[in-house]
Amino acid sequence: MNTPPILSPLRSPSYAALTAALLLWPGRGHAAELERHPYLQSATNTSIVVVWTTEQDSSGAVEVGPSPDQLTTVVPSAGVGKQHEVLLTGLTPDTRYYYRVIGDDAPLAGGDQAHTFLTSPPPGTPTKFRAWIVGDSGKGNDKQLQVRDAMLAHVGRSQPHIYLHMGDMAYDDGKYDEFTDNFYAPYADILRNTPVWPTLGNHEGASSDSGSESGPYYDGYVLPTAGEAGGLASGTEAYYSFDYANVHFVVLDSHDSNRAPDGPMLTWLQDDLLATEQEWIIAYWHHPPYTKGSHDSDSESKLIDMRENALPILEAGGVDLVLGGHSHIYERSFLLDGAYDTPSQAGVGVLDDLDGSPLGDGPYQKPPGLTGHQGAVYVVAGHGGTGVSQDDEHPLMYFAEAKNGSCVLDIQGNRLSLVNIRYDGEVTDRVAIIKGDGMIVTSPDGGEALEAGQSREIRWTTVGNVPKVELELSVDDGATWTVIEDSIPNTGSYTWTVPAANTEHALVRVSDPEVPARSDESNATFEISSTVTLTPVDFGHVWRYHDQGEDLGEAWHAADYDDSQWSEGPGQLGYGEGDEATELLDADPNHPSAYFRTEIELPEGEMLDAELTARFDDGIAVWINGKEVLAVNVDDGTDHGAWASAETEDDEPVTTPVDLGALHSGHNVITAMVKQSDEASDDLSFDLKLVATVQLEPPPPPPGGGSDGGDDDGGSAGSGGGPDDGGGLDGTTSLGGSGSALPPTVGADDERASGCGCVTRGRTRGSAGWLLGGLPLLVLLGRRRRALAHR
Amino acid sequence: MPFEWSRWLLLGSILVGASPALAHPGPSAALRSLDERIAATPNDVALRLRRAELRRSMGHPRDALADLRVASRLDPTEREVWLEHALTLIDLGKPQAAERELTRVIEAGPPHVRALAERAHLREADGRLELARHDLDAAIAVDQALDLYLARGHIDERLDHLDAAAAGYREGLAALGPAVLLRLALADVERRRGAHEQALAVLDGLLAENPSRADWVLRRADVLQDAGLSEAATAERMRALVLAHAAVQRRPTPLHRLVLAKAHLALGQRERARKQLALVLEQAPALPEARTMKAHLDESLAPQGPP
């Protein structure tokens, strides 16, 4: 911590009083300028510390409230200085707040959707949450930014709730300016929303001292020393613990604190582990106990010390996951216990030698609750930006990759999942742990952008005997749920047609219908776009046609016109060029006109755009529902006996926008007339493509709009939303509007459903593959809907 | 075999020739990087110092000395070089030489907390407790750190200066807030000096925050015993046993079972204690406190020889 001291909050002082106070402070001859943008520290379920620095001495304050335009509480900083630390207390757990930082008498940052934070859930609650794990990142180079951006792209709107840094965040020597440039600046957009919980790296140790808790590391961070965030009071910021949801995090100092088994740090550790009642224990420090990356855990004393001295205590206390950095690599172990030997031996201490991946051999399994020596996974995440290398394969590591990246950790009740996200966005490793029975959804898992009508695999993995599963969808971050399938065999996957729901807050849940609490949902929200582009008629479409030279008058445009006696065939239709799929009559002399009809079904929704492309020879007119939408070379009219007004070639297709008033949801009739230029023309051609963009209507809300009280360890409406979710204080959102379901019928026997609710009369081939799979959507929308409590 | 993936990945990265993995191959990329930088700027004292520290941490103190000799020639006034030299000498088993070097650091400028703390440790190790305490006083005057308060209190206790120890722990608590280790140390020293009320007050404060901590209830029982309240002490031990059982039921970790063993032992139930301890060691054979306790228990249960 740094001076000035943190003030207790002043609840809702008047703005006038604050302004007066600001104006009375001396030396306010200039507007303050931010140096380090606001960042969040020591977050608990009822408090948080907002920290920022200014280029010059300034006064400071934080305004906070339930929305950017309701920043009703003002808490001043302690006085004039460059670094300001403002403690906000009396907050509500698991609740979103917005804030603005004031410097001297002017706003410095915030007061918008971007400056927001979510308070922690109460300790012990099995609320779903996400953490970002980064180590050895503070180089200020492109790789560091690529790693950051890859994470952001992966998580989408479901940003991490906390940021765990494994140390070495400010190369080369952890000096003040190195912190500013290599840590606070590149992560500013994350740090303003996401509390960071660091551990000291050796590079910070070059300028900071744990014994005296001095230097840029200790000055910049505000960490709990008195058990403020859970756990036991350590009395030092060098090592500490905190609780988040049902996880107890233990942060040790492997660089500059006494690592002896009877030293203060490990004595405190044992006491701290005895005190926690949390379901999960995750520990981290800089020097990893197992590595063969750029450092060797068999030959370097700090790494050996932590393995030989800290691990026996941690494993006896039930640690589940141990994270580290220092070694510039990503490494992930098997499920281990008791592997304290130096050097580490292959197979010694390996409790489970499978891959632990929900997409592979399945997650590692542990007994329910907190037990000791049932195994832990060890991860080296020293790949956050600096140059990476691998010296050897560590015998206890399942996976290693000497490429930059970072990790995302998700916890949901009794399930823990971790992925390694490489700097190029690839997820190269996955591991999961389940305590007791349960299941883990692996896809969609958050961050995906799906399109209504798309065919998509829902995948999950199960531990325990679960013969059947229920699949559900939420479009409002878990506030309500709609059944996809209420009881299907537990095969681990299901081919799902993404329904019409315009949302960025979608989740999928898989549960055991016999034991509803045994369930899992997507770790984070994904997007479903109901703005879909359809091609209800593509080139190659099957048309009914009349080419016998008979004058059909006007009646053939009608929807109820009986064309059952007409012939039918796929495009291209015509004769004379050899490229026809369906050959039409080559009459002598030519008939002036040939007639074509087809019928399509379009889904419920708003027609945003439509475009028609025709290949023809020589003249053409097209009608949709009797309304003319295209006319080329028919200057002499569309009577049967009129000839085309000019010649053309069919290799020059004509594209035209379609009057949106011509198309409508449901049944549509398209009619076309193709004309010859004269009695002697030696060819005729016709083919047509119609593309439409439709904003599908979302499914109606669940009956009553309420919930039916599902399991309580799943979706957190308050925690899932990102900073831009526009939700209220509790972070919940809901889809407005009701809208009607798609037409739950199909027509004649030869009708097939299209991907987005479009149905055609079975006359498609070629590229119109999207047309398949619409029926499940229609069925889905007709199913019972069930709303479940989000918690 | 699962690790085949990483083999292929590594092979792939080598084959493509563009892998950052090749940037720093070798047993220690950090050391290699420093080697390169020192080769480029051989007169950089900070780099020499950093490599010396790294070499020492890797168990190569003699290599560290080589760097320090060069660093010392380059900047004979740099105290950090002397300090690192002292730490290296400690690793080499030369405490007297190390102490001389630490003294040089301390006498050359303003108070140096690390040097003072290290010298105190050396002095304490060979019984010069007053001198060690003096160093820690000087260090605390500069930095109020947990380790320093604990170390000074420990020396006070060894000197049987229990009042000073208690005062020192209280001073630490005033400076640092409610650090658990200081509170426990204070409770112990208050008990030792007969200030039972004070000891109980400290423990009650801890138990108010963590009411299910059986091991702290055992400490409370010891205070009551020392105060002559045997029945109350026994009742507290029984309470501790119940709490310990409940904790093991709730969270069957070796750490909680170890507390259960302590509760049995406090009630004189040595066989039960030994049974629980065996369970602890079966799961956690390397748990330091369990090993120590077992050694004591074995010793106390060993057949006594003829008087």
Side-chain angles (χ1 to χ4, degrees):
Chain A
M1 278 185 229
N2 199 6
T3 54
I6 301 169
L7 282 186
S8 296
L10 304 176
R11 305 297 298 175
S12 304
S14 75
Y15 235 108
L18 173 72
T19 305
L22 291 170
L23 292 173
L24 286 172
W25 273 324
R28 306 283 69 79
H30 54 80
E33 290 179 34
L34 273 178
E35 180 186 48
R36 293 176 180 173
H37 284 251
Y39 56 100
L40 306 171
Q41 292 281 274
S42 286
T44 76
N45 58 332
T46 58
S47 67
I48 202 164
V49 180
V50 182
V51 188
W52 71 97
T53 67
T54 50
E55 297 281 358
Q56 302 85 25
D57 283 352
S58 65
S59 61
V62 172
E63 303 169 345
V64 63
S67 67
D69 55 359
Q70 285 184 288
L71 304 177
T72 51
T73 299
V74 184
V75 185
S77 180
V80 174
K82 288 191 172 71
Q83 177 159 321
H84 299 269
E85 302 166 357
V86 173
L87 171 65
L88 307 175
T89 61
L91 306 176
T92 303
D94 206 5
T95 299
R96 182 162 296 285
Y97 289 90
Y98 296 81
Y99 67 95
R100 172 162 45 213
V101 166
I102 304 292
D104 290 339
D105 52 357
L108 287 176
D112 52 24
Q113 292 283 344
H115 289 75
T116 178
F117 60 83
L118 187 69
T119 49
S120 308
T125 53
T127 304
K128 181 173 77 170
F129 75 95
R130 165 168 282 182
W132 187 33
I133 299 161
V134 183
D136 303 76
S137 63
K139 295 291 283 188
N141 59 11
D142 287 346
K143 270 292 190 294
Q144 179 183 2
L145 304 183
Q146 288 172 1
V147 167
R148 176 199 65 188
D149 294 344
M151 180 281 292
L152 291 172
H154 176 83
V155 302
R157 294 175 61 84
S158 301
Q159 285 191 19
H161 297 81
I162 51 176
Y163 176 6
L164 315 179
H165 204 292
M166 302 295 111
D168 282 3
M169 57 205 73
Y171 286 87
D172 285 330
D173 296 318
K175 294 174 182 167
Y176 184 90
D177 289 344
E178 291 170 335
F179 261 102
T180 301
D181 297 340
N182 298 343
F183 183 76
Y184 292 107
Y187 299 127
D189 289 353
I190 296 169
L191 296 173
R192 68 190 178 194
N193 309 130
T194 312
V196 59
W197 299 95
T199 184
L200 182 80
N202 54 298
H203 285 270
E204 289 79 65
S207 297
S208 297
D209 178 62
S210 292
S212 58
E213 296 174 57
S214 61
Y217 174 90
Y218 290 102
D219 290 344
Y221 291 122
V222 182
L223 303 171
T225 62
E228 302 96 322
L232 287 191
S234 66
T236 172
E237 290 182 292
Y239 47 90
Y240 58 93
S241 59
F242 66 97
D243 291 329
Y244 196 101
N246 61 343
V247 181
H248 185 61
F249 289 92
V250 178
V251 187
L252 300 179
D253 171 22
S254 59
H255 179 68
D256 205 20
S257 289
N258 187 335
R259 298 178 298 278
D262 57 351
M265 181 171 71
L266 297 189
T267 303
W268 167 83
L269 170 65
Q270 185 163 326
D271 264 329
D272 183 70
L273 293 175
L274 275 170
T276 185
E277 294 288 338
Q278 297 283 64
E279 184 171 2
W280 296 91
I281 294 175
I282 296 174
Y284 59 96
W285 57 85
H286 186 59
H287 299 82
Y290 308 108
T291 184
K292 294 284 184 184
S294 64
H295 290 273
D296 186 344
S297 57
D298 288 333
S299 64
E300 297 176 45
S301 60
K302 289 174 182 172
L303 291 75
I304 295 170
D305 285 349
M306 294 307 288
R307 181 173 64 252
E308 295 184 349
N309 299 341
L311 294 197
I313 297 169
L314 278 164
E315 291 185 344
V319 72
D320 300 294
L321 177 67
V322 176
L323 309 167
H326 191 54
S327 195
H328 300 162
I329 191 170
Y330 171 75
E331 295 173 297
R332 193 266 291 174
S333 76
F334 298 100
L335 190 69
L336 304 179
D337 181 67
Y340 314 134
D341 292 346
T342 304
S344 296
Q345 305 287 328
V348 175
V350 177
L351 295 187
D352 187 334
D353 65 356
L354 300 179
D355 65 10
S357 168
L359 297 180
D361 300 324
Y364 294 131
Q365 298 171 39
K366 296 184 71 171
L370 188 73
T371 55
H373 285 284
Q374 298 297 320
V377 171
Y378 291 80
V379 171
V380 180
H383 58 332
T386 191
V388 289
S389 65
Q390 182 174 20
D391 176 52
D392 201 353
E393 293 173 358
H394 195 287
L396 302 180
M397 291 293 174
Y398 165 74
F399 182 84
E401 183 177 47
K403 297 281 177 66
N404 289 109
S406 64
C407 302
V408 168
L409 170 73
D410 288 290
I411 304 276
Q412 281 193 59
N414 68 337
R415 291 88 70 201
L416 176 156
S417 306
L418 181 141
V419 296
N420 179 53
I421 303 162
R422 211 167 54 193
Y423 69 94
D424 59 4
E426 286 293 311
V427 174
T428 61
D429 185 39
R430 291 175 188 268
V431 65
I433 302 173
I434 285 187
K435 292 189 169 184
D437 291 347
M439 50 189 63
I440 292 181
V441 172
T442 55
S443 179
D445 200 30
E448 297 91 342
L450 309 185
E451 193 173 272
Q454 181 181 0
S455 184
R456 174 84 191 194
E457 288 282 303
I458 298 174
R459 286 185 286 172
W460 65 94
T461 186
T462 309
V463 172
N465 180 28
V466 182
K468 290 186 178 297
V469 295
E470 180 178 53
L471 307 180
E472 295 163 288
L473 169 70
S474 172
V475 295
D476 51 12
D477 201 9
T480 58
W481 294 89
T482 301
V483 173
I484 300 172
E485 292 284 356
D486 56 7
S487 183
I488 60 170
N490 182 9
T491 60
S493 70
Y494 172 81
T495 302
W496 175 50
T497 300
V498 180
N502 215 30
T503 178
E504 294 176 323
H505 303 279
L507 297 167
V508 159
R509 179 162 68 187
V510 180
S511 56
D512 180 349
E514 300 298 316
V515 187
R518 191 183 290 165
S519 70
D520 191 59
E521 65 189 46
S522 314
N523 279 322
T525 57
F526 56 89
E527 179 183 341
I528 297 176
S529 171
S530 63
T531 301
V532 295
T533 300
L534 315 173
T535 310
V537 178
D538 203 352
F539 292 130
H541 185 78
V542 176
W543 293 80
R544 293 188 186 272
Y545 62 91
H546 188 286
D547 58 353
Q548 301 301 311
E550 184 181 349
D551 183 353
L552 300 181
E554 295 294 323
W556 67 286
H557 294 301
D560 57 355
Y561 181 79
D562 182 8
D563 61 6
S564 61
Q565 300 304 309
W566 291 22
S567 304
E568 77 172 25
Q572 184 183 117
L573 303 101
Y575 66 84
E577 294 184 345
D579 58 352
E580 298 84 6
T582 301
E583 192 156 348
L584 301 185
L585 175 66
D586 182 5
D588 184 16
N590 288 333
H591 300 312
S593 303
Y595 302 83
F596 304 87
R597 276 178 60 98
T598 192
E599 296 171 42
I600 60 170
E601 295 284 338
L602 291 176
E604 292 293 337
E606 181 186 359
M607 203 66 59
L608 302 178
D609 188 33
E611 188 179 80
L612 186 145
T613 302
R615 289 187 177 133
F616 61 94
D617 181 348
D618 290 299
I620 188 169
V622 179
W623 297 261
I624 297 177
N625 298 320
K627 185 169 187 176
E628 186 179 280
V629 294
L630 175 67
V632 181
N633 296 343
V634 289
D635 296 350
D636 297 330
T638 55
D639 290 345
H640 174 76
W643 298 99
S645 54
E647 294 184 16
T648 188
E649 298 295 331
D650 68 359
D651 57 357
E652 295 175 1
V654 171
T655 298
T656 183
V658 173
D659 179 353
L660 296 180
L663 282 166
H664 51 69
S665 302
H667 195 70
N668 292 266
V669 178
I670 303 175
T671 51
M673 173 184 281
V674 176
K675 288 188 168 297
Q676 287 285 20
S677 58
D678 54 47
E679 292 182 346
S681 173
D682 58 2
D683 57 0
L684 179 87
S685 301
F686 169 67
D687 207 352
L688 190 135
K689 178 180 181 178
L690 174 65
V691 177
T693 303
V694 183
Q695 174 79 52
L696 299 177
E697 290 190 5
S707 66
D708 71 1
D711 72 276
D712 62 358
D713 68 348
S716 159
S719 61
D724 310 321
D725 62 5
L729 260 187
D730 63 354
T732 57
T733 59
S734 60
L735 289 174
S738 53
S740 58
L742 296 171
T745 56
V746 291
D749 291 342
D750 59 349
E751 286 182 341
R752 284 182 287 177
S754 73
C756 296
C758 305
V759 181
T760 70
R761 283 194 177 174
R763 301 169 196 162
T764 299
R765 71 173 194 181
S767 62
W770 61 270
L771 288 170
L772 298 172
L775 261 178
L777 168 69
L778 306 180
V779 173
L780 164 66
L781 294 173
R783 283 181 183 276
R784 72 186 173 95
R785 292 185 167 79
R786 204 174 71 169
L788 299 178
H790 61 273
R791 245 178 304 130
Chain B
M1 291 295 290
F3 214 87
E4 287 302 307
W5 280 107
S6 64
R7 287 202 179 94
W8 283 109
L9 283 168
L10 181 62
L11 178 61
S13 68
I14 291 169
L15 290 175
V16 298
S19 167
L22 298 180
H24 299 294
S28 168
L31 189 57
R32 193 171 292 262
S33 172
L34 281 170
D35 289 347
E36 292 167 359
R37 294 173 69 185
I38 288 171
T41 54
N43 294 332
D44 189 322
V45 173
L47 290 177
R48 294 272 179 185
L49 189 56
R50 194 181 299 168
R51 189 168 69 177
E53 186 183 359
L54 184 58
R55 284 173 158 174
R56 177 171 60 83
S57 76
M58 294 176 69
H60 305 304
R62 299 208 173 277
D63 292 343
L65 284 180
D67 270 332
L68 293 170
R69 276 194 292 273
V70 175
S72 187
R73 275 202 305 274
L74 292 168
D75 186 353
T77 65
E78 176 55 63
R79 294 166 85 199
E80 294 304 314
V81 174
W82 305 346
L83 174 64
E84 182 60 30
H85 188 207
L87 298 175
T88 308
L89 290 169
I90 291 171
D91 281 8
L92 285 166
K94 297 182 175 182
Q96 291 179 357
E99 186 176 338
R100 280 195 298 275
E101 200 71 348
L102 290 168
T103 300
R104 189 178 169 207
V105 175
I106 292 162
E107 291 177 349
H112 193 297
V113 173
R114 178 78 190 271
L116 286 164
E118 292 291 345
R119 191 171 72 174
H121 186 68
L122 292 175
R123 287 173 164 179
E124 184 191 2
D126 71 358
R128 290 173 292 158
L129 301 180
E130 293 285 3
L131 287 174
R133 193 188 191 288
H134 181 74
D135 280 344
L136 290 168
D137 264 341
I140 289 171
V142 180
D143 280 318
Q144 293 75 50
L146 177 72
D147 287 18
L148 298 176
Y149 285 114
L150 288 170
R152 188 179 67 180
H154 183 64
I155 289 172
D156 281 335
E157 290 189 58
R158 285 186 65 186
L159 287 166
D160 215 23
H161 298 167
L162 300 183
D163 292 351
Y169 293 138
R170 289 190 186 281
E171 181 190 333
L173 287 167
L176 300 176
V180 165
L181 296 187
L182 283 173
R183 294 164 84 184
L184 291 172
L186 175 61
D188 282 350
V189 80
E190 295 286 25
R191 174 191 153 209
R192 283 183 60 196
R193 73 190 186 107
H196 302 121
E197 290 296 327
Q198 287 90 332
L200 289 174
V202 173
L203 291 169
D204 287 347
L206 284 163
L207 283 164
E209 296 162 17
N210 297 273
S212 62
R213 285 297 294 267
D215 52 338
W216 295 350
V217 174
L218 288 174
R219 287 175 186 254
R220 197 172 189 284
D222 290 342
V223 176
L224 293 170
Q225 186 74 49
D226 282 6
L229 302 170
S230 298
E231 286 187 13
T234 301
E236 281 296 80
R237 286 170 184 141
M238 289 299 296
R239 181 163 79 100
L241 185 65
V242 170
L243 286 172
H245 266 300
V248 168
Q249 289 293 315
R250 201 169 60 247
R251 311 173 76 80
T253 70
L255 288 186
H256 285 94
R257 200 173 289 283
L258 180 63
V259 175
L260 178 58
K262 289 179 187 175
H264 280 305
L265 192 59
L267 286 164
Q269 300 166 349
R270 294 187 175 196
E271 278 307 322
R272 290 184 179 182
R274 189 145 78 166
K275 185 179 168 187
Q276 289 300 328
L277 200 51
L279 290 172
V280 172
L281 288 166
E282 183 181 313
Q283 273 198 309
L287 187 61
E289 192 179 356
R291 292 159 68 107
T292 305
M293 185 175 169
K294 182 172 187 307
H296 289 160
L297 200 56
D298 288 346
E299 189 178 317
S300 68
L301 290 173
Q304 300 295 311

